[in-house]
Amino acid sequence: MRKIIIAGNWKLNKTSLEAIDFVTMLKRQLDDVTAVDIVVCPVFTALADCSEVLESSNIGLGAQDVYWEDSGAFTGEVSAPMLKDIGVQYVIIGHSERRQFFGETNTSVQKKVKAALKHGLIPIVCVGETLQEREANRTFDVIKKQCEESLAGFSAEEIQKMILAYEPVWAIGTGKTATSQQAQEVHQFIRQLLVKMHGKDTASTVRIQYGGSVKPENIKELTSQEDIDGALVGGASLKEDSFVKIVKNCCDVQK
Ligand code: 13P
């Protein structure tokens, strides 16, 4: 059985004060939820404050990136032990915006995942094709390469500690959600890749989130698909009403 996990990727939004207000409200509104794992991923500068508010709550805390070295002359970077030190539990790695705008590659993703695991952070590893790739019928090739390279060299035990996220780039922030069938098809493909890499027992325990224009109206249908185990939510995670509804609307989905 895989527990549904809903994570809010706030991207470059909310100051510390705004973040404190928001997580204080979420804590109040979602404190009775046990059926779904809930995570919020604020900007680096708001993490320590959010960590204090969320301590011993049912809402987990994630960062949006991490560097692979622990310390040293790497201006502007933040390391896994530093995140761990302030109570961060999850970290998004390889988001398409980082791949597109900041030169993230499968190789850097692999190194970051390794560093996260070494320090006990749960990586949320993102993959996804662009519109051009989908239209050229290259979706499965692209996903295969991203998964094989980003997840190279990890043991079955390590793979089980990760969360994967399929985010078709054309569905991010565009209002165009992949249909639940389109999403399920790719999720199933990713799980089959995991079966080939590490066997059925391992593959069946790994949670794979969907991301891209997730809303209260489509979360239930998406998470009702066999291989969709939750969502990585962008825009709709910034508003109180929509994030709370997204979590509540999938509480009764059984995997
Ligand atoms: P939207 O939900 O705004 O489409 O963003 C998805 C995303 O990129 C989450 O990581």
Side-chain angles (χ1 to χ4, degrees), residues 6-252:
I6 303 293
N9 173 11
W10 293 2
K11 308 190 179 182
L12 187 56
N13 292 288
K14 296 193 193 293
T15 62
S16 282
L17 279 181
E18 289 165 346
I20 290 171
D21 277 357
F22 195 81
V23 290
T24 305
M25 172 285 302
L26 281 187
K27 207 167 89 159
R28 215 173 28 236
Q29 298 217 41
L30 295 173
D31 70 341
D32 58 339
V33 174
T34 52
V36 172
D37 283 337
I38 309 163
V39 181
V40 290
C41 304
V43 295
F44 283 128
T45 51
L47 285 170
D49 284 331
C50 289
S51 177
E52 257 180 57
V53 178
L54 296 176
E55 203 185 341
S56 27
S57 77
N58 60 337
I59 301 178
L61 185 64
Q64 297 174 19
D65 191 22
V66 64
Y67 192 56
W68 59 79
E69 296 286 351
D70 290 356
S71 62
F74 304 103
T75 303
E77 295 295 333
V78 176
S79 71
M82 291 167 184
L83 294 174
K84 192 73 189 165
D85 178 52
I86 55 164
V88 171
Q89 299 136 300
Y90 298 82
V91 57
I92 299 172
I93 299 177
H95 190 279
S96 66
E97 285 148 18
R98 296 221 58 86
R99 293 176 186 262
Q100 202 178 340
F101 305 130
F102 303 102
E104 191 85 87
T105 62
N106 294 332
T107 308
S108 59
V109 170
Q110 195 272 353
K111 288 189 197 175
K112 290 178 177 189
V113 172
K114 197 167 173 186
L117 289 174
K118 179 176 157 203
H119 293 283
L121 293 169
I122 301 171
I124 300 178
V125 187
C126 304
V127 296
E129 82 287 2
T130 62
L131 183 60
Q132 210 182 14
E133 289 161 345
R134 176 162 282 262
E135 285 177 346
N137 282 327
R138 293 189 49 231
T139 299
F140 293 125
D141 290 345
V142 169
I143 299 294
K144 183 167 187 277
K145 187 171 161 66
Q146 287 176 337
C147 287
E148 286 179 350
E149 293 183 3
S150 305
L151 305 179
F154 294 109
S155 66
E157 202 187 322
E158 287 172 317
I159 294 282
Q160 285 177 318
K161 291 185 181 145
M162 303 177 192
I163 293 164
L164 304 186
Y166 167 58
E167 299 203 304
V169 179
W170 49 272
I172 296 179
T174 57
K176 281 188 208 156
T177 325
T179 63
S180 48
Q181 288 80 4
Q182 279 174 320
Q184 164 58 22
E185 190 179 50
V186 180
H187 280 238
Q188 188 179 31
F189 177 76
I190 294 172
R191 204 173 302 285
Q192 289 311 318
L193 286 176
L194 293 175
V195 171
K196 275 191 213 135
M197 288 157 95
H198 295 284
K200 207 164 171 232
D201 288 352
T202 298
S204 66
T205 64
V206 178
R207 291 185 288 183
I208 310 173
Q209 296 177 304
Y210 167 78
S213 300
V214 171
K215 310 182 267 277
E217 296 76 34
N218 59 22
I219 186 67
K220 186 147 188 182
E221 183 173 340
L222 285 162
T223 49
S224 300
Q225 305 301 309
E226 193 176 337
D227 292 292
I228 303 182
D229 309 312
L232 188 52
V233 187
S237 74
L238 296 170
K239 288 178 230 114
E240 165 177 346
D241 188 43
S242 49
F243 192 66
V244 168
K245 276 193 188 143
I246 286 173
V247 171
K248 297 212 162 167
N249 287 357
C250 60
C251 276
D252 61 346

